[in-house]
PDB file of all heavy atoms in Angstrom:
ATOM      1  N   ASP A  13       8.384  11.215  -8.268  1.00  0.00           N
ATOM      2  CA  ASP A  13       8.905  10.432  -9.332  1.00  0.00           C
ATOM      3  C   ASP A  13       8.467  11.063 -10.589  1.00  0.00           C
ATOM      4  O   ASP A  13       7.357  10.857 -10.936  1.00  0.00           O
ATOM      5  CB  ASP A  13       8.532   9.013  -9.195  1.00  0.00           C
ATOM      6  CG  ASP A  13       9.326   8.084 -10.248  1.00  0.00           C
ATOM      7  OD1 ASP A  13       9.852   8.627 -11.106  1.00  0.00           O
ATOM      8  OD2 ASP A  13       9.255   6.801 -10.005  1.00  0.00           O
ATOM      9  N   SER A  14       9.236  11.840 -11.308  1.00  0.00           N
ATOM     10  CA  SER A  14       8.934  12.443 -12.454  1.00  0.00           C
ATOM     11  C   SER A  14       9.640  11.959 -13.664  1.00  0.00           C
ATOM     12  O   SER A  14      10.906  11.734 -13.749  1.00  0.00           O
ATOM     13  CB  SER A  14       9.281  14.040 -12.390  1.00  0.00           C
ATOM     14  OG  SER A  14       8.994  14.746 -13.340  1.00  0.00           O
ATOM     15  N   LEU A  15       8.819  11.559 -14.705  1.00  0.00           N
ATOM     16  CA  LEU A  15       9.419  11.062 -15.964  1.00  0.00           C
ATOM     17  C   LEU A  15       8.985  12.049 -17.150  1.00  0.00           C
ATOM     18  O   LEU A  15       7.846  12.230 -17.317  1.00  0.00           O
ATOM     19  CB  LEU A  15       8.824   9.649 -16.302  1.00  0.00           C
ATOM     20  CG  LEU A  15       9.279   8.867 -17.443  1.00  0.00           C
ATOM     21  CD1 LEU A  15      10.835   8.637 -17.270  1.00  0.00           C
ATOM     22  CD2 LEU A  15       8.539   7.616 -17.651  1.00  0.00           C
ATOM     23  N   GLU A  16      10.043  12.565 -17.678  1.00  0.00           N
ATOM     24  CA  GLU A  16       9.932  13.628 -18.828  1.00  0.00           C
ATOM     25  C   GLU A  16      10.755  13.038 -19.903  1.00  0.00           C
ATOM     26  O   GLU A  16      11.949  13.151 -19.979  1.00  0.00           O
ATOM     27  CB  GLU A  16      10.235  15.003 -18.332  1.00  0.00           C
ATOM     28  CG  GLU A  16       9.867  16.048 -19.281  1.00  0.00           C
ATOM     29  CD  GLU A  16      10.153  17.349 -18.755  1.00  0.00           C
ATOM     30  OE1 GLU A  16       9.623  17.623 -17.491  1.00  0.00           O
ATOM     31  OE2 GLU A  16      10.687  18.280 -19.450  1.00  0.00           O
ATOM     32  N   GLY A  17       9.991  12.487 -21.035  1.00  0.00           N
ATOM     33  CA  GLY A  17      10.756  11.956 -22.128  1.00  0.00           C
ATOM     34  C   GLY A  17      11.532  10.723 -21.660  1.00  0.00           C
ATOM     35  O   GLY A  17      11.032   9.916 -21.045  1.00  0.00           O
ATOM     36  N   ARG A  18      12.832  10.741 -21.806  1.00  0.00           N
ATOM     37  CA  ARG A  18      13.675   9.655 -21.336  1.00  0.00           C
ATOM     38  C   ARG A  18      14.433   9.984 -20.013  1.00  0.00           C
ATOM     39  O   ARG A  18      15.167   9.292 -19.636  1.00  0.00           O
ATOM     40  CB  ARG A  18      14.684   9.329 -22.380  1.00  0.00           C
ATOM     41  CG  ARG A  18      14.022   8.798 -23.621  1.00  0.00           C
ATOM     42  CD  ARG A  18      15.085   8.379 -24.690  1.00  0.00           C
ATOM     43  NE  ARG A  18      15.769   7.081 -24.092  1.00  0.00           N
ATOM     44  CZ  ARG A  18      16.490   6.530 -24.832  1.00  0.00           C
ATOM     45  NH1 ARG A  18      16.999   7.037 -26.029  1.00  0.00           N
ATOM     46  NH2 ARG A  18      17.177   5.457 -24.311  1.00  0.00           N
ATOM     47  N   SER A  19      14.138  11.144 -19.497  1.00  0.00           N
ATOM     48  CA  SER A  19      14.722  11.677 -18.264  1.00  0.00           C
ATOM     49  C   SER A  19      13.854  11.378 -17.085  1.00  0.00           C
ATOM     50  O   SER A  19      12.638  11.781 -17.023  1.00  0.00           O
ATOM     51  CB  SER A  19      15.039  13.139 -18.300  1.00  0.00           C
ATOM     52  OG  SER A  19      15.599  13.623 -17.180  1.00  0.00           O
ATOM     53  N   ARG A  20      14.409  10.767 -16.072  1.00  0.00           N
ATOM     54  CA  ARG A  20      13.568  10.458 -14.871  1.00  0.00           C
ATOM     55  C   ARG A  20      14.285  11.147 -13.668  1.00  0.00           C
ATOM     56  O   ARG A  20      15.459  11.126 -13.401  1.00  0.00           O
ATOM     57  CB  ARG A  20      13.588   8.970 -14.595  1.00  0.00           C
ATOM     58  CG  ARG A  20      12.740   8.620 -13.344  1.00  0.00           C
ATOM     59  CD  ARG A  20      12.563   7.066 -13.394  1.00  0.00           C
ATOM     60  NE  ARG A  20      11.589   6.806 -12.419  1.00  0.00           N
ATOM     61  CZ  ARG A  20      11.122   5.439 -12.248  1.00  0.00           C
ATOM     62  NH1 ARG A  20      11.628   4.599 -13.049  1.00  0.00           N
ATOM     63  NH2 ARG A  20      10.115   5.243 -11.441  1.00  0.00           N
ATOM     64  N   GLU A  21      13.484  11.769 -12.741  1.00  0.00           N
ATOM     65  CA  GLU A  21      13.937  12.440 -11.670  1.00  0.00           C
ATOM     66  C   GLU A  21      13.128  12.019 -10.420  1.00  0.00           C
ATOM     67  O   GLU A  21      11.940  11.928 -10.398  1.00  0.00           O
ATOM     68  CB  GLU A  21      13.626  14.016 -11.719  1.00  0.00           C
ATOM     69  CG  GLU A  21      14.262  14.832 -10.541  1.00  0.00           C
ATOM     70  CD  GLU A  21      13.988  16.334 -10.800  1.00  0.00           C
ATOM     71  OE1 GLU A  21      13.407  16.734 -11.832  1.00  0.00           O
ATOM     72  OE2 GLU A  21      14.499  17.070  -9.920  1.00  0.00           O
ATOM     73  N   ILE A  22      13.849  11.572  -9.356  1.00  0.00           N
ATOM     74  CA  ILE A  22      13.212  11.149  -8.164  1.00  0.00           C
ATOM     75  C   ILE A  22      13.774  12.039  -7.013  1.00  0.00           C
ATOM     76  O   ILE A  22      15.016  12.285  -6.920  1.00  0.00           O
ATOM     77  CB  ILE A  22      13.582   9.631  -7.868  1.00  0.00           C
ATOM     78  CG1 ILE A  22      13.040   8.688  -8.910  1.00  0.00           C
ATOM     79  CG2 ILE A  22      13.027   9.171  -6.422  1.00  0.00           C
ATOM     80  CD1 ILE A  22      13.584   7.434  -8.998  1.00  0.00           C
ATOM     81  N   GLY A  23      12.872  12.392  -6.156  1.00  0.00           N
ATOM     82  CA  GLY A  23      13.364  13.339  -4.993  1.00  0.00           C
ATOM     83  C   GLY A  23      12.508  13.304  -3.786  1.00  0.00           C
ATOM     84  O   GLY A  23      11.288  12.697  -3.781  1.00  0.00           O
ATOM     85  N   PHE A  24      12.934  14.036  -2.755  1.00  0.00           N
ATOM     86  CA  PHE A  24      12.090  14.209  -1.577  1.00  0.00           C
ATOM     87  C   PHE A  24      11.898  15.531  -1.156  1.00  0.00           C
ATOM     88  O   PHE A  24      12.733  16.410  -1.531  1.00  0.00           O
ATOM     89  CB  PHE A  24      12.882  13.471  -0.471  1.00  0.00           C
ATOM     90  CG  PHE A  24      12.969  11.921  -0.522  1.00  0.00           C
ATOM     91  CD1 PHE A  24      14.086  11.458  -1.262  1.00  0.00           C
ATOM     92  CD2 PHE A  24      12.085  11.068  -0.174  1.00  0.00           C
ATOM     93  CE1 PHE A  24      14.241  10.113  -1.425  1.00  0.00           C
ATOM     94  CE2 PHE A  24      12.121   9.703  -0.379  1.00  0.00           C
ATOM     95  CZ  PHE A  24      13.205   9.262  -1.044  1.00  0.00           C
ATOM     96  N   PHE A  25      10.795  15.836  -0.489  1.00  0.00           N
ATOM     97  CA  PHE A  25      10.404  17.261   0.035  1.00  0.00           C
ATOM     98  C   PHE A  25       9.670  17.053   1.198  1.00  0.00           C
ATOM     99  O   PHE A  25       9.072  16.097   1.531  1.00  0.00           O
ATOM    100  CB  PHE A  25       9.823  17.974  -1.157  1.00  0.00           C
ATOM    101  CG  PHE A  25       8.456  17.413  -1.594  1.00  0.00           C
ATOM    102  CD1 PHE A  25       7.167  17.901  -1.184  1.00  0.00           C
ATOM    103  CD2 PHE A  25       8.374  16.350  -2.479  1.00  0.00           C
ATOM    104  CE1 PHE A  25       6.075  17.346  -1.544  1.00  0.00           C
ATOM    105  CE2 PHE A  25       7.221  15.884  -2.872  1.00  0.00           C
ATOM    106  CZ  PHE A  25       6.036  16.399  -2.370  1.00  0.00           C
ATOM    107  N   ASP A  26       9.691  18.210   1.958  1.00  0.00           N
ATOM    108  CA  ASP A  26       8.983  18.110   3.234  1.00  0.00           C
ATOM    109  C   ASP A  26       7.914  19.307   3.440  1.00  0.00           C
ATOM    110  O   ASP A  26       7.118  19.342   4.477  1.00  0.00           O
ATOM    111  CB  ASP A  26       9.902  18.226   4.429  1.00  0.00           C
ATOM    112  CG  ASP A  26      10.794  19.505   4.418  1.00  0.00           C
ATOM    113  OD1 ASP A  26      10.832  20.241   3.353  1.00  0.00           O
ATOM    114  OD2 ASP A  26      11.433  19.854   5.468  1.00  0.00           O
ATOM    115  N   CYS A  27       7.735  20.150   2.443  1.00  0.00           N
ATOM    116  CA  CYS A  27       6.812  21.200   2.482  1.00  0.00           C
ATOM    117  C   CYS A  27       6.151  21.444   0.989  1.00  0.00           C
ATOM    118  O   CYS A  27       6.763  20.874  -0.032  1.00  0.00           O
ATOM    119  CB  CYS A  27       7.525  22.530   2.804  1.00  0.00           C
ATOM    120  SG  CYS A  27       8.152  22.543   4.431  1.00  0.00           S
ATOM    121  N   ILE A  28       5.130  22.155   1.061  1.00  0.00           N
ATOM    122  CA  ILE A  28       4.584  22.660  -0.186  1.00  0.00           C
ATOM    123  C   ILE A  28       4.642  24.198  -0.157  1.00  0.00           C
ATOM    124  O   ILE A  28       4.208  24.690   0.788  1.00  0.00           O
ATOM    125  CB  ILE A  28       3.156  22.085  -0.378  1.00  0.00           C
ATOM    126  CG1 ILE A  28       3.111  20.595  -0.698  1.00  0.00           C
ATOM    127  CG2 ILE A  28       2.474  22.892  -1.506  1.00  0.00           C
ATOM    128  CD1 ILE A  28       1.776  20.067  -0.805  1.00  0.00           C
ATOM    129  N   GLU A  29       5.084  24.724  -1.335  1.00  0.00           N
ATOM    130  CA  GLU A  29       5.086  26.162  -1.479  1.00  0.00           C
ATOM    131  C   GLU A  29       3.978  26.576  -2.438  1.00  0.00           C
ATOM    132  O   GLU A  29       3.923  26.057  -3.540  1.00  0.00           O
ATOM    133  CB  GLU A  29       6.423  26.567  -2.027  1.00  0.00           C
ATOM    134  CG  GLU A  29       6.502  28.106  -2.241  1.00  0.00           C
ATOM    135  CD  GLU A  29       7.731  28.670  -2.939  1.00  0.00           C
ATOM    136  OE1 GLU A  29       8.391  27.723  -3.579  1.00  0.00           O
ATOM    137  OE2 GLU A  29       7.984  29.730  -2.888  1.00  0.00           O
ATOM    138  N   LEU A  30       3.156  27.531  -2.033  1.00  0.00           N
ATOM    139  CA  LEU A  30       2.057  28.122  -2.955  1.00  0.00           C
ATOM    140  C   LEU A  30       2.533  29.491  -3.386  1.00  0.00           C
ATOM    141  O   LEU A  30       2.847  30.330  -2.553  1.00  0.00           O
ATOM    142  CB  LEU A  30       0.867  28.086  -2.184  1.00  0.00           C
ATOM    143  CG  LEU A  30       0.170  26.743  -1.679  1.00  0.00           C
ATOM    144  CD1 LEU A  30      -1.088  27.113  -0.964  1.00  0.00           C
ATOM    145  CD2 LEU A  30      -0.038  25.986  -2.948  1.00  0.00           C
ATOM    146  N   VAL A  31       2.574  29.652  -4.663  1.00  0.00           N
ATOM    147  CA  VAL A  31       2.907  30.864  -5.332  1.00  0.00           C
ATOM    148  C   VAL A  31       1.773  31.160  -6.156  1.00  0.00           C
ATOM    149  O   VAL A  31       1.611  30.605  -7.264  1.00  0.00           O
ATOM    150  CB  VAL A  31       4.236  30.917  -6.137  1.00  0.00           C
ATOM    151  CG1 VAL A  31       4.419  32.216  -6.750  1.00  0.00           C
ATOM    152  CG2 VAL A  31       5.448  30.463  -5.292  1.00  0.00           C
ATOM    153  N   GLY A  32       0.909  32.074  -5.778  1.00  0.00           N
ATOM    154  CA  GLY A  32      -0.399  32.344  -6.487  1.00  0.00           C
ATOM    155  C   GLY A  32      -1.322  30.985  -6.329  1.00  0.00           C
ATOM    156  O   GLY A  32      -1.468  30.545  -5.310  1.00  0.00           O
ATOM    157  N   SER A  33      -1.610  30.482  -7.463  1.00  0.00           N
ATOM    158  CA  SER A  33      -2.304  29.260  -7.362  1.00  0.00           C
ATOM    159  C   SER A  33      -1.567  27.962  -7.774  1.00  0.00           C
ATOM    160  O   SER A  33      -2.060  26.917  -7.979  1.00  0.00           O
ATOM    161  CB  SER A  33      -3.637  29.345  -8.300  1.00  0.00           C
ATOM    162  OG  SER A  33      -3.174  29.460  -9.613  1.00  0.00           O
ATOM    163  N   THR A  34      -0.203  28.162  -7.902  1.00  0.00           N
ATOM    164  CA  THR A  34       0.628  27.103  -8.305  1.00  0.00           C
ATOM    165  C   THR A  34       1.357  26.472  -7.146  1.00  0.00           C
ATOM    166  O   THR A  34       1.825  27.287  -6.248  1.00  0.00           O
ATOM    167  CB  THR A  34       1.800  27.563  -9.321  1.00  0.00           C
ATOM    168  OG1 THR A  34       1.117  28.232 -10.449  1.00  0.00           O
ATOM    169  CG2 THR A  34       2.584  26.414  -9.833  1.00  0.00           C
ATOM    170  N   ALA A  35       1.318  25.228  -6.992  1.00  0.00           N
ATOM    171  CA  ALA A  35       1.924  24.449  -5.821  1.00  0.00           C
ATOM    172  C   ALA A  35       3.237  23.749  -6.359  1.00  0.00           C
ATOM    173  O   ALA A  35       3.309  23.181  -7.320  1.00  0.00           O
ATOM    174  CB  ALA A  35       0.953  23.292  -5.436  1.00  0.00           C
ATOM    175  N   TYR A  36       4.177  24.042  -5.467  1.00  0.00           N
ATOM    176  CA  TYR A  36       5.637  23.341  -5.705  1.00  0.00           C
ATOM    177  C   TYR A  36       6.003  22.519  -4.606  1.00  0.00           C
ATOM    178  O   TYR A  36       5.608  22.843  -3.375  1.00  0.00           O
ATOM    179  CB  TYR A  36       6.592  24.460  -5.828  1.00  0.00           C
ATOM    180  CG  TYR A  36       6.437  25.453  -7.035  1.00  0.00           C
ATOM    181  CD1 TYR A  36       5.701  26.635  -6.866  1.00  0.00           C
ATOM    182  CD2 TYR A  36       6.952  25.103  -8.369  1.00  0.00           C
ATOM    183  CE1 TYR A  36       5.474  27.414  -7.832  1.00  0.00           C
ATOM    184  CE2 TYR A  36       6.758  25.990  -9.283  1.00  0.00           C
ATOM    185  CZ  TYR A  36       6.081  27.209  -9.142  1.00  0.00           C
ATOM    186  OH  TYR A  36       5.896  27.973 -10.212  1.00  0.00           O
ATOM    187  N   ALA A  37       6.772  21.310  -4.878  1.00  0.00           N
ATOM    188  CA  ALA A  37       7.498  20.712  -3.855  1.00  0.00           C
ATOM    189  C   ALA A  37       8.502  21.605  -3.279  1.00  0.00           C
ATOM    190  O   ALA A  37       9.165  22.287  -4.108  1.00  0.00           O
ATOM    191  CB  ALA A  37       7.937  19.435  -4.340  1.00  0.00           C
ATOM    192  N   PHE A  38       8.737  21.514  -2.004  1.00  0.00           N
ATOM    193  CA  PHE A  38       9.686  22.576  -1.402  1.00  0.00           C
ATOM    194  C   PHE A  38      10.551  21.835  -0.389  1.00  0.00           C
ATOM    195  O   PHE A  38       9.912  21.069   0.522  1.00  0.00           O
ATOM    196  CB  PHE A  38       8.887  23.713  -0.826  1.00  0.00           C
ATOM    197  CG  PHE A  38       9.710  24.929  -0.393  1.00  0.00           C
ATOM    198  CD1 PHE A  38      10.291  25.813  -1.310  1.00  0.00           C
ATOM    199  CD2 PHE A  38      10.007  25.068   0.927  1.00  0.00           C
ATOM    200  CE1 PHE A  38      10.970  26.892  -0.917  1.00  0.00           C
ATOM    201  CE2 PHE A  38      10.771  26.262   1.464  1.00  0.00           C
ATOM    202  CZ  PHE A  38      11.218  27.068   0.422  1.00  0.00           C
TER     203      PHE A  38
END
């Protein structure tokens, strides 16, 4: 559940992707 300013994003993921030391929902 991500809130950025007045914009809200809700989503689902089943994995984590690691690119270098950065982690992403995947």
Side-chain angles (χ1 to χ4, degrees):
D13 186 346
S14 175
L15 184 61
E16 191 172 313
R18 296 184 68 182
S19 177
R20 185 174 194 171
E21 183 179 3
I22 299 171
F24 295 91
F25 60 101
D26 58 348
C27 297
I28 289 179
E29 176 191 17
L30 295 178
V31 179
S33 65
T34 305
Y36 297 92
F38 190 79

